[in-house]
Amino acid sequence: MLPEDIGPQRLVTLLQGRRLGVRHEVWESIDSTNERARVLAEVGVGEGFLVLADAQSAGRGSQGRAWESPPGSDLYLSLVLRPHYGAAELPLLTMAAATALVEVADHRLRGETRAQVKWPNDLYIGARKCAGILVESRSSGSRCDFAILGIGLNVNRRHWPAELRENATSLLEATGRSQSFDRGIVLAELLEALERSLAQIESGQSSLLLSRLEPRLLWRGEEVECSGLRGQLLGFDPSGALRLATVEGTRTCVSGSPRRVG
Ligand code: BTN
């Protein structure tokens, strides 16, 4: 049975009238919500369809890694999106999700600590990762047929396997609360924030989205190395790529993951 906070009745009430998530399915356990959303997208489900699960047996992380997804504590969700813009703008979807995650985390943290984004797809609170984003898509030429926006957000987890213990956190742990957060409410808030962020991309205002996110970029102003480039991390370029001040001038980094050096 599904826990009450993400039970079917609860979700119908919480997601009523939303552009994202009003049509949804919720699973007690599934291999991967991204995989299920992809199958649904292939057979034509529309923009905003949400797949949510209490647990995943084969949760996917970025770069072929697994996303550990035990039951009863966190949010594992995937949205089917059918962007009108081209495949080249898809990296902005990750930025939209990162912005929404920062907002949701900030609301819970109440200014005590600030959530930050480790470009491109990780939400950090302090030195620990609290959420990850995985965008998968199918394109025909420069047109994007659909994109699957997957988010794993550690909400109430307290117990970690040895390999994650030093580097992971949840909203509950980061706030030091004893009472669990209601995942249904966190989900509804996340989808609402995501609707706002996506609307900025769709209305050609992605520069506003990126300027909101830029101050929350982890290691901004510091010396980093990313995909063979080394320099001071300046912020984003208009496509959401990283801008670095290197000894040869300003360069952009479109893939990989920065690490702090020096
Ligand atoms: C990362 O490695 O940081 C990305 C993690 C993305 C995990 C989420 S959980 C819901 C969705 N379904 C998956 O299989 N993966 C994403």
Side-chain angles (χ1 to χ4, degrees):
M1 247 205 11
L2 275 160
E4 211 172 296
D5 64 341
I6 55 163
Q9 278 314 111
R10 191 86 201 304
L11 291 188
V12 167
T13 312
L14 284 168
L15 304 180
Q16 219 166 27
R18 297 245 65 91
R19 187 192 130 194
L20 300 177
V22 64
R23 283 167 303 123
H24 59 258
E25 56 181 37
V26 48
W27 295 77
E28 216 175 300
S29 182
I30 195 168
D31 51 358
S32 154
T33 57
N34 260 38
E35 181 55 25
R36 173 68 184 157
R38 189 191 59 78
V39 168
L40 292 172
E42 300 273 5
V43 298
V45 300
E47 161 86 8
F49 194 96
L50 166 73
V51 180
L52 180 74
D54 186 45
Q56 296 182 116
S57 55
R60 292 208 284 262
S62 51
Q63 288 155 9
R65 286 193 284 259
W67 187 258
E68 216 247 341
S69 315
S73 56
D74 304 323
L75 282 171
Y76 316 113
L77 63 123
S78 301
L79 288 159
V80 175
L81 299 175
R82 297 193 178 274
H84 298 301
Y85 40 86
E89 277 139 305
L90 283 182
L92 290 171
L93 285 183
T94 305
M95 300 297 111
T99 307
L101 282 166
V102 164
E103 280 179 32
V104 167
D106 276 359
H107 184 201
R108 301 277 154 347
L109 293 164
R110 297 182 192 284
E112 288 155 29
T113 332
R114 279 161 67 85
Q116 288 182 297
V117 172
K118 179 165 170 283
W119 185 87
N121 62 317
D122 297 340
L123 180 83
Y124 268 66
I125 300 177
R128 291 164 189 257
K129 178 162 166 169
C130 187
I133 303 159
L134 180 66
V135 174
E136 297 175 309
S137 61
R138 193 186 76 186
S139 300
S140 317
S142 61
R143 215 191 79 228
C144 172
D145 300 327
F146 61 78
I148 307 302
L149 171 53
I151 298 177
L153 172 59
N154 302 332
V155 181
N156 290 316
R157 200 167 342 165
R158 296 169 196 268
H159 305 290
W160 308 92
E163 68 276 14
L164 294 180
R165 201 162 295 142
E166 299 297 312
N167 304 314
T169 192
S170 63
L171 293 177
L172 190 75
E173 263 190 4
T175 50
R177 264 174 53 128
S178 53
Q179 199 191 347
S180 292
F181 288 111
D182 181 316
R183 284 177 295 168
I185 292 181
V186 177
L187 171 72
E189 214 177 277
L190 177 62
L191 294 177
E192 201 179 324
L194 197 50
E195 282 177 17
R196 285 194 297 272
S197 297
L198 292 175
Q200 284 192 312
I201 302 178
E202 281 148 23
S203 61
Q205 295 181 303
S206 48
S207 59
L208 287 182
L209 177 81
L210 294 171
S211 61
R212 267 202 294 151
L213 189 60
E214 207 167 57
R216 310 305 291 276
L217 188 55
L218 184 69
W219 302 324
R220 187 167 174 237
E222 297 183 48
E223 187 82 359
V224 298
E225 194 181 274
C226 185
S227 296
L229 293 170
R230 183 178 170 146
Q232 189 193 21
L233 183 48
L234 298 175
F236 301 120
D237 85 346
S239 71
L242 276 192
R243 280 191 319 124
L244 263 59
T246 74
V247 285
E248 279 113 32
T250 304
R251 297 282 181 274
T252 49
C253 173
V254 294
S255 63
S257 179
R259 63 179 186 88
R260 195 163 42 164
V261 287

